[in-house]
Amino acid sequence: MKKLILSLCLFACVSGLNAQSPTYLDVKVSESLERQPISMEYHLRVNPESGEYDLDRDFDAQRKVMRSRIKENETQLKQFLETNKVKYTINRDDNYAITQEDMTFSIFKIKVANKTELDNLLVLLRQLTYVEGNIGDKVYPPVQNDEVNLFEKLYTKARSKAEKMAGIMNCTLGKVLEAEELDKKELDYYGMVEEGSYEHVYDIQRGNPLSSTTVLSMRFRFELVKK
């Protein structure tokens, strides 16, 4: 079927050449640009460890126990990070619910520069059983820095493809008549799966959760001249 469709397309182009010359040939190509963050934050929060408590009993008493344990663990986490010379900042999270009411948590934010630093941090944090974490804000280099090279790569790919098609039709390829960008997409592979969720630190590494990929598709219209 694909061969039949290609044959029909080529026949249509040749027919167009016979009707008027020169004519054109459209080619669509795609390339991707993957970027790694130049900085990011890892967010830590003390796990409420609710499995230790019987919430069917007196709610206020259980809640008081939970608050006390969380506070103790937050103090312990501070000491752990400071002992290991890990720099951090703290802010409050008001959007996490425990049982029937909202309970705010301290979020420990740790800046890292790359995946190697992140891996080293996670190895350290695996010693803890009472924390949950996720990758927070990520900063990527501007895509404009590499976009020119990406356009050139697309043009080279499109012209090579067009020259092969022109040769089949006994034609030569002329200048570019049009160039159009199609369906530009930004894919943040971490954000699509993990953003906004907290997990135990030893579960967070699945493949590469950091890369952001720009997919660029273009249509090039080349002048087509019969030999």
Side-chain angles (χ1 to χ4, degrees), residues 108-123:
F108 292 72
K109 296 185 174 183
I110 302 169
K111 287 190 175 181
V112 292
N114 50 50
K115 189 175 185 299
T116 299
E117 288 190 11
L118 176 62
D119 288 341
N120 292 337
L121 175 64
L122 294 180
V123 169

Side-chain angles (χ1 to χ4, degrees), residues 91-97 102-107:
N91 76 325
R92 303 293 291 179
D93 178 14
D94 299 321
N95 299 316
Y96 186 80
D102 289 338
M103 178 181 278
T104 58
F105 284 81
S106 295
I107 303 301

Side-chain angles (χ1 to χ4, degrees), residues 63-76:
R63 185 175 176 80
K64 185 176 180 180
V65 172
M66 292 173 71
R67 284 183 179 277
S68 176
R69 176 58 63 86
I70 288 171
K71 188 173 182 180
E72 290 174 8
N73 285 349
E74 285 180 352
T75 299
Q76 188 174 341

Side-chain angles (χ1 to χ4, degrees), residues 147-157:
E147 212 163 34
V148 173
N149 292 333
L150 192 58
F151 279 122
E152 291 177 352
K153 194 173 182 181
L154 282 166
Y155 170 75
T156 300
K157 186 175 181 178

Side-chain angles (χ1 to χ4, degrees), residues 76-84 124-125 127-128 130:
Q76 188 174 341
L77 178 57
K78 287 180 184 179
Q79 293 172 348
F80 177 85
L81 295 176
E82 290 166 2
T83 298
N84 288 279
L124 180 66
L125 294 176
Q127 301 176 50
L128 308 178
Y130 56 85

Side-chain angles (χ1 to χ4, degrees), residues 9-206:
C9 290
L10 295 177
F11 177 76
C13 288
V14 172
S15 298
L17 285 171
N18 293 331
Q20 79 180 55
S21 182
T23 186
Y24 61 84
L25 178 64
D26 282 346
V27 176
K28 295 180 181 179
V29 288
S30 295
E31 284 289 343
S32 61
L33 172 66
E34 184 175 349
R35 294 174 296 156
Q36 297 295 333
I38 53 178
S39 68
M40 70 195 92
E41 287 182 344
Y42 194 78
H43 294 177
L44 281 174
R45 182 183 66 199
V46 171
N47 188 339
E49 300 177 306
S50 57
E52 297 183 5
Y53 312 109
D54 182 4
L55 296 180
D56 292 330
R57 298 172 59 189
D58 181 78
F59 176 76
D60 290 334
Q62 295 297 318
R63 185 175 176 80
K64 185 176 180 180
V65 172
M66 292 173 71
R67 284 183 179 277
S68 176
R69 176 58 63 86
I70 288 171
K71 188 173 182 180
E72 290 174 8
N73 285 349
E74 285 180 352
T75 299
Q76 188 174 341
L77 178 57
K78 287 180 184 179
Q79 293 172 348
F80 177 85
L81 295 176
E82 290 166 2
T83 298
N84 288 279
K85 298 181 180 180
V86 177
K87 295 181 179 181
Y88 64 91
T89 58
I90 298 179
N91 76 325
R92 303 293 291 179
D93 178 14
D94 299 321
N95 299 316
Y96 186 80
I98 292 183
T99 63
Q100 301 172 6
E101 298 180 18
D102 289 338
M103 178 181 278
T104 58
F105 284 81
S106 295
I107 303 301
F108 292 72
K109 296 185 174 183
I110 302 169
K111 287 190 175 181
V112 292
N114 50 50
K115 189 175 185 299
T116 299
E117 288 190 11
L118 176 62
D119 288 341
N120 292 337
L121 175 64
L122 294 180
V123 169
L124 180 66
L125 294 176
R126 278 196 198 95
Q127 301 176 50
L128 308 178
T129 59
Y130 56 85
V131 295
E132 297 174 326
N134 72 359
I135 299 172
D137 298 333
K138 301 179 291 297
V139 178
Y140 295 96
V143 69
Q144 290 83 358
N145 293 350
D146 300 300
E147 212 163 34
V148 173
N149 292 333
L150 192 58
F151 279 122
E152 291 177 352
K153 194 173 182 181
L154 282 166
Y155 170 75
T156 300
K157 186 175 181 178
R159 189 164 191 94
S160 175
K161 184 177 178 180
E163 284 174 346
K164 293 176 182 178
M165 296 176 68
I168 295 172
M169 294 183 287
N170 196 32
C171 298
T172 58
L173 212 60
K175 61 185 178 181
V176 176
L177 301 176
E178 293 181 14
E180 178 188 12
E181 188 175 336
L182 307 171
D183 300 326
K184 185 174 183 180
K185 296 179 180 178
E186 187 84 12
L187 301 178
D188 182 340
Y189 288 125
Y190 175 78
M192 291 174 66
V193 180
E194 301 289 345
E195 197 75 56
S197 65
Y198 283 87
E199 299 189 28
H200 294 292
V201 290
Y202 47 82
D203 288 333
I204 201 68
Q205 297 184 103
R206 290 198 287 269

